[in-house]
């Protein structure tokens, strides 16, 4: 396996990267980091201050390596644990939580289709704290799966990669950028490209109203040379029962559940400490207003339901990983789809209701409470819920298994 353009070994050796041992330790580390990241989340969003230092902390914590298989030295945590890690981080800073989503997706690609040598090399990179970004989506094409980036064979057995990618969350902060591309036979492959490889340009042009510090901008690939041993045949993933889409969507659902929990906590804190009671309530504090108490109860039920569906979806993925069949894969995809539909709706509802329960002052720009709604509204645009509902309905009514396109 070639190691061209990897960070200098002396630099890597100077870093202290923890290796997490098990699920319990992973959850404890995630909870501690969430508390740490929460303090600066609003300021980072307001000033669009990219979280370089926070991502360095995330790498050093060992959390980015928790899905590395045990035989390669990783904790190999359950998907239930991984989902809870993302939920905890997103409850503190939804942008920061979204950045490593694709990292875990492309670790999973290697687990599924990487050769033993590729796995040995790249899992070693992940354990050393290296980050994967992504260069997957393209703009201006017919639809999301109309991938036009090309992987052309070169005379020396390597490949040449050419294309333009958008919504490239994590690429700006990455050591490696997994690039989704089509080969000569039109089959999908993933090329793992060093962030600083010649011909790679990452442009920080993301200007979304929410998820402002994800730097989900543009990646330009101008005749990038890729050794053959950095290319993975991703199309083979979809030729049998697979969990690629379920794992990816589970993490998106966890981010939405985290946004909802963070918004509810922010609303409760505001009402307890800053809101005035409505004069007709006859109470001395807003937190004693029976109508507000009722609304908070309704919102809390929605958040608890979102978290329960997230856990159920994660356990379905874990069960399918233990015994992968067409039936278990279908059940996992449907369970995750149900979680994604509900968590997305809950994130938007609760983040909007924050203003309803908090009152006029909560709309002040200086407080930046609207970041919760902006993050929810932006992140939930990933993969339309209406199609997930369609697949759930077909499965329940007619026993139709969901498609294997990787987005379910």
């Amino acid at each position: 396996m070639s190691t061209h353009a990897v960070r200098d070994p002396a630099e890597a050796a100077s870093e202290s990267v923890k290796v997490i041992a098990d699920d319990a330790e992973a959850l404890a580390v995630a909870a501690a980091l969430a508390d740490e990241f929460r303090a600066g989340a609003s300021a980072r969003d307001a000033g669009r201050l990219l979280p370089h230092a926070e991502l360095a902390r995330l790498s050093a914590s060992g959390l980015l390596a928790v899905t590395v298989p045990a035989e390669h030295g990783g904790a190999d945590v359950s998907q239930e644990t991984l989902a809870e890690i993302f939920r905890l981080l997103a409850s503190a800073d939804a942008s920061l939580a979204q950045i490593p989503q694709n990292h875990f997706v492309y670790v999973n690609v290697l687990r599924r289709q990487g050769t033993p040598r590729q796995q040995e090399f790249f899992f070693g990179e992940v354990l050393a704290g290296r980050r994967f970004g992504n260069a997957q989506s393209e703009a201006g094409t017919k639809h999301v799966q109309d991938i036009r980036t090309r992987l052309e064979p070169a005379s020396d057995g390597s490949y040449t990669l050419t294309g333009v990618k958008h919504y490239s969350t994590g690429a700006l902060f990455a050591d490696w950028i997994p690039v989704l591309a089509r080969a000569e036979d039109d089959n999908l492959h993933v090329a793992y490209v060093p962030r600083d490889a010649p011909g790679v340009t990452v442009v920080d042009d993301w200007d979304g109203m929410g998820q402002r510090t994800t730097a989900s901008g543009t990646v330009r690939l101008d005749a990038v040379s890729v050794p053959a041993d950095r290319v993975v045949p991703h199309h083979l993933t979809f030729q049998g029962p697979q969990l690629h889409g379920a794992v990816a969507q589970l993490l998106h659902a966890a981010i939405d559940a985290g946004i909802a929990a963070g918004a509810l906590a922010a609303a409760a804190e505001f009402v307890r400490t800053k809101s005035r009671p409505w004069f007709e309530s006859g109470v001395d504090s807003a937190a004693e207003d029976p109508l507000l108490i009722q609304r908070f109860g309704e919102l809390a039920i929605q958040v608890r339901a979102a978290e329960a569906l997230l856990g159920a979806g994660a356990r379905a993925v874990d069960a399918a990983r233990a015994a992968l069949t067409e039936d278990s894969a279908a059940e996992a995809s449907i369970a995750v789809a149900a979680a994604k539909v509900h968590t997305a709706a809950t994130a938007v509802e609760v983040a909007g209701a924050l203003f309803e329960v908090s009152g006029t002052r909560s709309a002040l720009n200086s407080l930046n409470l609207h970041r919760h709604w902006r993050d929810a509204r932006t992140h939930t645009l990933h993969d339309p819920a209406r199609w997930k509902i369609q697949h759930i309905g077909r499965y329940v009514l007619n026993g139709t298994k969901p498609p294997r396109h990787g987005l379910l």
Side-chain angles (χ1 to χ4, degrees):
M1 170 67 68
S2 170
T3 58
H4 171 70
V6 178
R7 287 187 294 180
D8 184 85
E11 177 188 352
S14 69
E15 299 173 355
S16 177
V17 178
K18 184 179 181 64
V19 177
I20 289 174
D22 55 28
D23 293 60
E25 184 180 8
L27 291 171
V29 170
L33 282 180
D35 287 342
E36 178 182 326
F37 295 157
R38 186 175 290 107
S42 181
R44 286 192 295 272
D45 172 87
R48 198 173 180 272
L49 306 174
L50 298 182
H52 292 285
E54 288 74 20
L55 286 170
R57 288 279 294 118
L58 190 62
S59 290
S61 76
L63 276 184
L64 296 182
V66 294
T67 59
V68 170
E71 60 267 28
H72 289 275
D76 201 6
V77 302
S78 70
Q79 294 302 293
E80 187 172 12
T81 291
L82 185 63
E84 179 62 6
I85 288 169
F86 271 79
R87 193 195 68 81
L88 287 167
L89 294 176
S91 72
D93 185 334
S95 286
L96 189 52
Q98 188 181 343
I99 291 168
Q101 190 265 348
N102 283 292
H103 169 91
F104 285 98
V105 168
Y106 285 103
V107 169
N108 198 44
V109 168
L110 287 163
R111 182 173 185 143
R112 174 81 180 197
Q113 297 298 344
T115 66
R117 288 189 64 218
Q118 287 173 326
Q119 291 175 349
E120 180 182 6
F121 175 77
F122 280 114
F123 291 155
E125 287 286 281
V126 173
L127 286 166
R130 311 289 191 262
R131 295 190 291 269
F132 292 165
N134 101 96
Q136 182 169 282
S137 294
E138 300 179 11
T141 57
K142 290 182 179 180
H143 49 71
V144 70
Q145 291 205 326
D146 181 18
I147 302 297
R148 300 184 183 180
T149 298
R150 307 307 298 188
L151 192 64
E152 305 286 349
S155 59
D156 63 357
S158 66
Y159 294 90
T160 300
L161 190 61
T162 302
V164 179
K165 298 290 189 175
H166 299 270
Y167 311 116
S168 303
T169 304
L172 188 69
F173 311 106
D175 299 287
W176 294 89
I177 303 177
V179 181
L180 198 59
R182 294 196 182 275
E184 280 189 313
D185 57 7
D186 216 35
N187 282 325
L188 279 175
H189 291 71
V190 176
Y192 288 75
V193 178
R195 162 69 178 82
D196 58 357
V200 174
T201 304
V202 181
V203 184
D204 180 20
D205 56 0
W206 170 243
D207 65 349
M209 67 173 181
Q211 303 294 85
R212 297 188 67 224
T213 61
T214 60
S216 301
T218 301
V219 172
R220 302 185 185 279
L221 306 150
D222 183 15
V224 178
S225 179
V226 183
D229 59 5
R230 293 190 196 154
V231 176
V232 174
H234 191 36
H235 61 99
L236 297 179
T237 298
F238 309 103
Q239 292 184 6
Q242 53 83 35
L243 298 170
H244 176 79
V247 169
Q249 293 297 306
L250 180 68
L251 301 185
H252 282 307
I255 292 168
D256 292 338
I259 293 173
L264 184 62
E269 175 67 15
F270 192 93
V271 169
R272 282 193 299 263
T273 61
K274 296 182 175 62
S275 291
R276 296 182 297 179
W278 183 244
F279 71 95
E280 293 178 285
S281 68
V283 297
D284 294 330
S285 73
E288 296 173 328
D289 183 333
L291 298 183
L292 284 181
I293 290 171
Q294 175 73 19
R295 187 64 176 129
F296 269 95
E298 293 168 350
L299 296 173
I301 290 168
Q302 289 294 93
V303 171
R304 283 173 176 259
E307 292 170 356
L309 282 169
L310 178 67
R315 289 189 293 275
V317 174
D318 282 326
R321 286 179 68 185
L324 186 60
T325 65
E326 292 285 0
D327 289 340
S328 66
E331 180 57 34
S333 287
I334 293 300
V336 171
K340 181 66 170 65
V341 169
H342 189 79
T343 56
T346 300
V348 173
E349 179 184 357
V350 176
L354 184 157
F355 304 100
E356 169 198 337
V357 297
S358 300
T360 306
R361 187 182 174 193
S362 64
L364 292 177
N365 199 54
S366 59
L367 296 177
N368 199 26
L369 289 172
H370 49 66
R371 72 182 173 90
H372 298 285
W373 184 86
R374 289 187 287 103
D375 285 343
R377 185 64 282 174
T378 301
H379 184 259
T380 56
L381 298 176
H382 275 281
D383 315 309
R386 58 189 176 272
W387 276 100
K388 297 186 189 305
I389 295 171
Q390 281 283 310
H391 291 304
I392 294 168
R394 291 169 184 168
Y395 182 74
V396 171
L397 185 59
N398 299 314
T400 305
K401 291 182 174 63
R404 295 176 181 166
H405 53 44
L407 296 175
L408 196 69

